[in-house]
Amino acid sequence: MPRILVTRKEHFNAAHKMFRPDWPKEKNEAVFGKCANENWHGHNYDLFVTVEGTPHPDTGYVIDLKDLSKLLKEKVVERLDHKNINIDVPFMQGILASTEHLALAIWDQIESEIPKMGDCRLHSLKLYETERNFVELRA
Amino acid sequence: MPRILVTRKEHFNAAHKMFRPDWPKEKNEAVFGKCANENWHGHNYDLFVTVEGTPHPDTGYVIDLKDLSKLLKEKVVERLDHKNINIDVPFMQGILASTEHLALAIWDQIESEIPKMGDCRLHSLKLYETERNFVELRA
Amino acid sequence: MPRILVTRKEHFNAAHKMFRPDWPKEKNEAVFGKCANENWHGHNYDLFVTVEGTPHPDTGYVIDLKDLSKLLKEKVVERLDHKNINIDVPFMQGILASTEHLALAIWDQIESEIPKMGDCRLHSLKLYETERNFVELRA
Amino acid sequence: MPRILVTRKEHFNAAHKMFRPDWPKEKNEAVFGKCANENWHGHNYDLFVTVEGTPHPDTGYVIDLKDLSKLLKEKVVERLDHKNINIDVPFMQGILASTEHLALAIWDQIESEIPKMGDCRLHSLKLYETERNFVELRA
Amino acid sequence: MPRILVTRKEHFNAAHKMFRPDWPKEKNEAVFGKCANENWHGHNYDLFVTVEGTPHPDTGYVIDLKDLSKLLKEKVVERLDHKNINIDVPFMQGILASTEHLALAIWDQIESEIPKMGDCRLHSLKLYETERNFVELRA
Amino acid sequence: MPRILVTRKEHFNAAHKMFRPDWPKEKNEAVFGKCANENWHGHNYDLFVTVEGTPHPDTGYVIDLKDLSKLLKEKVVERLDHKNINIDVPFMQGILASTEHLALAIWDQIESEIPKMGDCRLHSLKLYETERNFVELRA
């Protein structure tokens, strides 16, 4: 039997900047370019979370996507949507707000919750900063 | 040399419901929510079928996508498009119509046919119920 | 100053069929083709509602899109999502469920509500049955 | 002969908030909801600019889209991309940053330039804040 | 009652170049840039055809989209798909292959056919050369 | 810690045909169908390049996507955009222009460059000929 993966898409809109306070402004601009704009910029982020597992014999679901969506809204979307990633988000404090780091922080918010929701585990997540730039994490 | 995978996208529009006849209506609604609506609902399904193999020296094709499309139309799309998955589809009789189960049934319709079409085999398929909810199977 | 139009997109998933009970099955199939399948089929419908008006001096909004979204959810989405258009939807009783007719019925549910929400009126709506087939209404 | 309209799409990523300094924080939050977050949020904006006119007999172009793209980059994208709309953008100073107001300000930046580029004029523009919320202006 | 417009999307893949044989190569390149490449380039074209009219009392359809699709395939897609627009397409002979000119030629192929298919007429068409560059014609 | 993959999307528009000069025209047409049209056809190609690695402690980037984009523009897009793949592209000379072969040739242009740009390597690439037909390569 093939392996079975189930994915849910969520989204949030947030501000951020790529800026190290331990570097002078000039170095931040040289390294991060326009992403270092001191007054922030922002994105419509798309998040795809993929769970691998076995369909439950009663429901045919690897995971109930209503439950996965609820988890993602509580642990991720409500904390990031219409927020400033550098200032407002507890789990990003003191962390450079690259898409890689944001994806890893999201991973940490949800990984241990997934196995409570079925015979399943977190397989991967994709975080799109734009349609042309995105990060994927894989267990 | 990298591994080579080739994908064809097809689509179909179908009705279904998530409903177990061995459960009372209340339990169906408690578990499946609005998906349990007795009078059905429906979706525009997108199907991506991915084949892995070696390009044929004569054509440069792992698989002729015209042939793969023809196979998918005969074995999958014609049987599902503008149908009721619970009632009209022979290979879904007696099976709870979750996206996971539908994807597995599609897999069974096509897996053994792929190797007849080149030096290749079925690698994976993705079935989108909506843009936000989808299932992937991997060999 | 240019005219100003503001649009909100919503979606719903529903079953329907194109079938006239006053015609024999053969005529229904001859005219409506596979859309006449007696056991229904379904779609992921996308709905775009466009309002024309003047931005409020306090908010800069022609209409608060949170309010428009709430109206559309109450008057349209909750009545259509995960429903059978032919059976479950009061405002479609006795009406052939073409996309044209469904769009007109949606128009009637919301037209008189829009002017209550600002210095604005319903300008147009688009209803997509699939990515390739859609209807637009214009006041 | 039908009327002829030509469209170019550009995009930019920016931060903003909906916040009136002459209102207390509570009123801003009551009216603008999460869009009033003091520390900003942001979007990937898509901009579609439509020009109406007559094809030039030498080129068949109503407007050379390379020229239109260059104009939009100079007058709009470079001033908005990776910026804070409330702070960094000269033509938005003192203006509440609703999508309606931003669209009107973009209109003012480009309207008089279009007729210099051919036998044509600005017909309309669309500004998408998200896939689900957008504004259109029409001459 | 609002006006009713119905749209069908089709697509085709074709090669073309922007090149005037009465101009030297240098002038073609100065005016048309990389679009003047002598050995052609190509696009995946998307075509949206919009018909305005009154729903037929028997069917609820302004126009049967199966019929419109068939017309578009016969008159447009079969003549353009996997063709060279400058060489292979009878209705583009001697015409500079700008998107404007191609859209006008498509208009001429279909305009008189539409009123034969219902109480309706050609309202507009959109031709996308890329996601970022497109032409619309309006009656 | 999960594996980390970063992707950049680029695009180019090109002409090609599927045609073997060592086969008669009839055999080319029998095997390649309308793709064998002697006068070429073309596509809007989308290219996704995925790099796997470890985020740099200074920047949080596996690879700076500005650098990856620059590499792809120099090595791939400038050589393919608005070109004829069979005639104009040095790295496709004498190679049948299937999407598989084109993807492999692009792989060869960039694979050795990626490790110079960080603690990372080429993981995979996807090349879309159309929305419905695409090839993926994986290291």
Side-chain angles (χ1 to χ4, degrees):
Chain A
M1 196 168 90
R3 296 163 56 195
I4 308 179
L5 297 83
V6 181
T7 300
R8 174 70 188 172
K9 177 187 177 188
E10 301 289 344
H11 62 262
F12 54 91
N13 309 320
H16 83 138
K17 64 179 169 185
M18 293 299 295
F19 198 92
R20 294 183 64 113
D22 57 332
W23 283 356
K25 189 177 168 185
E26 290 70 26
K27 184 163 181 187
N28 273 294
E29 289 176 352
V31 172
F32 296 120
K34 59 188 180 180
C35 298
N37 178 42
E38 273 189 294
N39 293 324
W40 327 96
H41 64 284
H43 297 289
N44 301 336
Y45 289 89
D46 280 324
L47 173 69
F48 294 78
V49 173
T50 300
V51 169
E52 181 172 359
T54 307
H56 193 286
D58 279 0
T59 63
Y61 291 156
V62 166
I63 189 170
D64 188 327
L65 287 175
K66 297 189 296 295
D67 295 338
L68 179 57
S69 176
K70 190 162 166 256
L71 173 76
L72 296 176
K73 284 196 172 68
E74 282 173 13
K75 298 281 184 183
V76 181
V77 174
E78 284 178 15
R79 295 172 183 180
L80 283 160
D81 189 36
H82 284 72
K83 302 292 186 190
N84 185 311
I85 298 171
N86 303 68
I87 299 175
D88 297 327
V89 182
F91 60 69
M92 288 297 289
Q93 291 310 298
I95 299 176
L96 196 56
S98 71
T99 315
E100 288 89 332
H101 286 171
L102 179 57
L104 287 164
I106 292 172
W107 185 277
D108 284 344
Q109 304 310 304
I110 59 172
E111 186 185 16
S112 63
E113 303 293 326
I114 304 291
K116 301 174 189 169
M117 305 172 81
D119 181 9
C120 59
R121 67 221 68 90
L122 181 57
H123 172 274
S124 55
L125 70 76
K126 277 191 186 180
L127 181 62
Y128 284 72
E129 193 177 81
T130 69
E131 181 197 23
R132 306 185 71 175
N133 291 349
F134 58 93
V135 165
E136 183 177 4
L137 305 184
R138 298 190 186 174
Chain B
M1 198 168 90
R3 297 162 56 195
I4 308 179
L5 297 83
V6 181
T7 300
R8 174 68 188 171
K9 178 186 177 188
E10 299 290 345
H11 60 263
F12 54 90
N13 309 320
H16 83 138
K17 64 179 169 185
M18 292 298 297
F19 198 92
R20 292 184 65 113
D22 56 333
W23 284 356
K25 189 178 168 185
E26 290 69 25
K27 183 164 183 186
N28 274 294
E29 288 176 354
V31 171
F32 297 120
K34 59 188 180 181
C35 298
N37 178 41
E38 274 190 294
N39 292 324
W40 326 96
H41 64 283
H43 297 289
N44 301 335
Y45 290 88
D46 280 324
L47 174 68
F48 294 78
V49 173
T50 300
V51 170
E52 181 172 0
T54 307
H56 193 286
D58 279 0
T59 62
Y61 291 156
V62 165
I63 189 170
D64 188 328
L65 287 175
K66 297 188 296 294
D67 295 338
L68 179 57
S69 176
K70 191 163 167 255
L71 173 76
L72 296 176
K73 284 195 171 67
E74 283 173 13
K75 299 281 184 183
V76 181
V77 174
E78 284 178 14
R79 294 172 184 180
L80 284 161
D81 189 36
H82 284 72
K83 302 292 186 190
N84 185 311
I85 297 172
N86 304 68
I87 299 175
D88 297 327
V89 181
F91 59 71
M92 288 297 290
Q93 291 311 298
I95 300 176
L96 195 57
S98 70
T99 316
E100 289 89 332
H101 286 171
L102 179 56
L104 286 164
I106 292 173
W107 184 277
D108 285 343
Q109 304 310 304
I110 60 173
E111 185 185 16
S112 63
E113 301 294 325
I114 304 291
K116 302 174 188 168
M117 305 172 82
D119 181 9
C120 59
R121 67 221 67 91
L122 182 56
H123 171 274
S124 55
L125 70 76
K126 276 191 187 181
L127 182 62
Y128 283 71
E129 193 177 80
T130 69
E131 180 197 24
R132 305 185 71 175
N133 291 349
F134 59 92
V135 166
E136 184 176 4
L137 305 184
R138 297 190 186 174
Chain C
M1 198 168 87
R3 296 164 55 194
I4 308 179
L5 297 83
V6 182
T7 300
R8 174 69 188 170
K9 177 186 177 189
E10 301 288 344
H11 61 264
F12 54 91
N13 309 320
H16 83 138
K17 65 179 169 186
M18 293 298 297
F19 198 92
R20 293 184 64 114
D22 57 331
W23 284 355
K25 189 178 168 184
E26 292 69 26
K27 183 163 183 188
N28 274 293
E29 289 177 353
V31 172
F32 296 121
K34 59 189 179 179
C35 299
N37 178 40
E38 273 189 294
N39 293 323
W40 328 95
H41 64 284
H43 297 289
N44 301 337
Y45 289 90
D46 281 324
L47 173 68
F48 294 79
V49 173
T50 300
V51 170
E52 181 172 0
T54 308
H56 193 286
D58 279 0
T59 62
Y61 290 156
V62 166
I63 189 170
D64 187 329
L65 287 175
K66 295 188 297 295
D67 295 337
L68 180 56
S69 176
K70 192 163 165 255
L71 173 76
L72 296 176
K73 284 196 171 69
E74 282 173 12
K75 299 281 184 183
V76 182
V77 175
E78 284 178 14
R79 295 172 183 180
L80 283 161
D81 189 35
H82 285 72
K83 303 291 187 192
N84 185 310
I85 297 172
N86 303 69
I87 299 176
D88 297 327
V89 182
F91 60 71
M92 288 297 290
Q93 291 312 297
I95 300 176
L96 196 56
S98 71
T99 315
E100 289 89 332
H101 285 171
L102 179 56
L104 286 164
I106 292 172
W107 184 278
D108 285 342
Q109 304 310 303
I110 60 173
E111 185 186 15
S112 63
E113 301 294 324
I114 305 290
K116 302 174 189 169
M117 305 172 82
D119 181 9
C120 59
R121 65 221 69 89
L122 181 57
H123 171 274
S124 55
L125 70 76
K126 276 191 186 181
L127 182 62
Y128 283 71
E129 192 177 79
T130 69
E131 180 197 24
R132 304 185 72 175
N133 291 349
F134 58 93
V135 165
E136 184 177 3
L137 305 184
R138 297 190 186 174
Chain D
M1 198 168 88
R3 297 164 55 196
I4 308 178
L5 297 83
V6 182
T7 299
R8 174 70 188 170
K9 178 187 177 190
E10 301 289 343
H11 60 264
F12 54 90
N13 309 320
H16 83 138
K17 64 179 170 188
M18 292 299 296
F19 199 91
R20 293 183 65 113
D22 56 333
W23 284 356
K25 189 178 168 184
E26 292 69 26
K27 182 163 183 188
N28 274 293
E29 288 176 353
V31 173
F32 296 121
K34 59 188 180 178
C35 298
N37 178 42
E38 273 190 294
N39 293 323
W40 327 97
H41 64 284
H43 297 289
N44 301 335
Y45 289 89
D46 280 324
L47 173 68
F48 294 79
V49 173
T50 300
V51 170
E52 180 172 0
T54 308
H56 192 286
D58 280 0
T59 62
Y61 290 156
V62 166
I63 191 170
D64 188 328
L65 287 175
K66 296 188 297 294
D67 295 338
L68 179 57
S69 176
K70 192 162 165 256
L71 174 76
L72 296 176
K73 285 195 172 69
E74 282 174 13
K75 300 281 184 184
V76 182
V77 175
E78 284 179 14
R79 294 171 183 181
L80 283 161
D81 189 36
H82 284 72
K83 303 292 186 191
N84 185 310
I85 297 172
N86 303 69
I87 299 175
D88 296 327
V89 182
F91 59 71
M92 287 297 290
Q93 291 311 297
I95 299 175
L96 196 56
S98 71
T99 315
E100 288 89 332
H101 285 171
L102 179 56
L104 287 164
I106 292 172
W107 185 278
D108 284 343
Q109 304 310 305
I110 60 173
E111 185 185 15
S112 63
E113 302 293 324
I114 304 292
K116 301 175 189 169
M117 305 172 82
D119 181 9
C120 60
R121 67 220 67 91
L122 182 56
H123 172 274
S124 56
L125 70 78
K126 276 192 187 182
L127 182 62
Y128 284 71
E129 192 177 81
T130 69
E131 181 197 22
R132 305 184 72 176
N133 292 348
F134 58 92
V135 166
E136 183 176 4
L137 305 184
R138 297 190 186 174
Chain E
M1 197 168 87
R3 297 163 54 195
I4 307 178
L5 296 84
V6 181
T7 300
R8 174 69 188 170
K9 178 187 177 189
E10 300 289 344
H11 60 262
F12 54 90
N13 309 319
H16 84 139
K17 65 179 169 185
M18 292 297 298
F19 198 92
R20 293 184 64 113
D22 56 333
W23 283 357
K25 188 177 168 185
E26 291 69 26
K27 184 165 182 187
N28 274 293
E29 289 177 352
V31 172
F32 296 120
K34 58 190 180 178
C35 299
N37 178 41
E38 274 189 293
N39 293 323
W40 327 97
H41 65 283
H43 297 289
N44 301 335
Y45 289 89
D46 280 324
L47 174 68
F48 295 78
V49 173
T50 300
V51 170
E52 181 173 0
T54 307
H56 193 285
D58 279 0
T59 62
Y61 291 156
V62 166
I63 190 170
D64 188 328
L65 287 175
K66 296 188 297 294
D67 295 338
L68 179 57
S69 177
K70 191 162 166 257
L71 173 76
L72 295 176
K73 284 196 171 68
E74 282 173 14
K75 299 282 184 182
V76 181
V77 174
E78 284 178 14
R79 295 172 183 180
L80 283 161
D81 190 35
H82 284 73
K83 302 293 186 191
N84 185 310
I85 297 172
N86 303 69
I87 300 175
D88 297 326
V89 182
F91 59 71
M92 288 297 290
Q93 291 311 297
I95 299 176
L96 196 55
S98 71
T99 315
E100 289 89 331
H101 286 171
L102 179 57
L104 287 164
I106 291 172
W107 184 277
D108 285 343
Q109 304 310 304
I110 60 173
E111 186 186 15
S112 63
E113 301 293 325
I114 305 290
K116 301 174 189 169
M117 305 172 83
D119 181 9
C120 60
R121 67 221 69 91
L122 181 57
H123 171 274
S124 56
L125 71 76
K126 276 192 187 181
L127 181 62
Y128 284 70
E129 192 177 80
T130 70
E131 180 197 23
R132 304 184 71 176
N133 292 346
F134 58 92
V135 165
E136 184 176 4
L137 304 184
R138 296 190 187 174
Chain F
M1 198 169 90
R3 296 163 56 194
I4 308 178
L5 296 84
V6 181
T7 299
R8 173 70 188 170
K9 178 186 177 189
E10 301 288 344
H11 61 263
F12 54 90
N13 309 320
H16 83 139
K17 65 179 169 186
M18 292 298 297
F19 198 91
R20 293 183 64 113
D22 57 332
W23 284 356
K25 189 178 168 184
E26 292 69 25
K27 184 164 182 187
N28 274 293
E29 289 176 352
V31 172
F32 296 120
K34 59 188 179 179
C35 298
N37 178 41
E38 273 190 294
N39 293 324
W40 326 96
H41 64 284
H43 297 290
N44 301 336
Y45 289 90
D46 280 324
L47 174 67
F48 294 79
V49 173
T50 299
V51 170
E52 181 172 0
T54 307
H56 193 285
D58 280 0
T59 61
Y61 290 155
V62 166
I63 190 170
D64 187 329
L65 287 175
K66 296 188 297 294
D67 295 338
L68 179 57
S69 177
K70 191 163 166 255
L71 173 76
L72 295 176
K73 285 196 170 69
E74 282 173 13
K75 299 282 185 183
V76 181
V77 175
E78 284 178 14
R79 294 172 183 179
L80 283 161
D81 189 36
H82 284 73
K83 302 293 187 190
N84 185 310
I85 297 171
N86 303 69
I87 300 175
D88 297 326
V89 182
F91 59 71
M92 288 297 290
Q93 291 311 298
I95 300 175
L96 197 56
S98 71
T99 316
E100 288 89 332
H101 285 171
L102 180 56
L104 287 164
I106 291 172
W107 184 277
D108 285 343
Q109 304 310 304
I110 60 173
E111 185 186 16
S112 63
E113 302 293 325
I114 305 291
K116 300 174 189 169
M117 304 173 82
D119 181 9
C120 60
R121 66 221 69 88
L122 182 57
H123 171 275
S124 56
L125 70 77
K126 275 192 187 180
L127 181 62
Y128 283 71
E129 193 178 80
T130 70
E131 180 197 24
R132 304 184 72 176
N133 292 348
F134 59 92
V135 166
E136 183 176 4
L137 305 184
R138 297 189 186 175

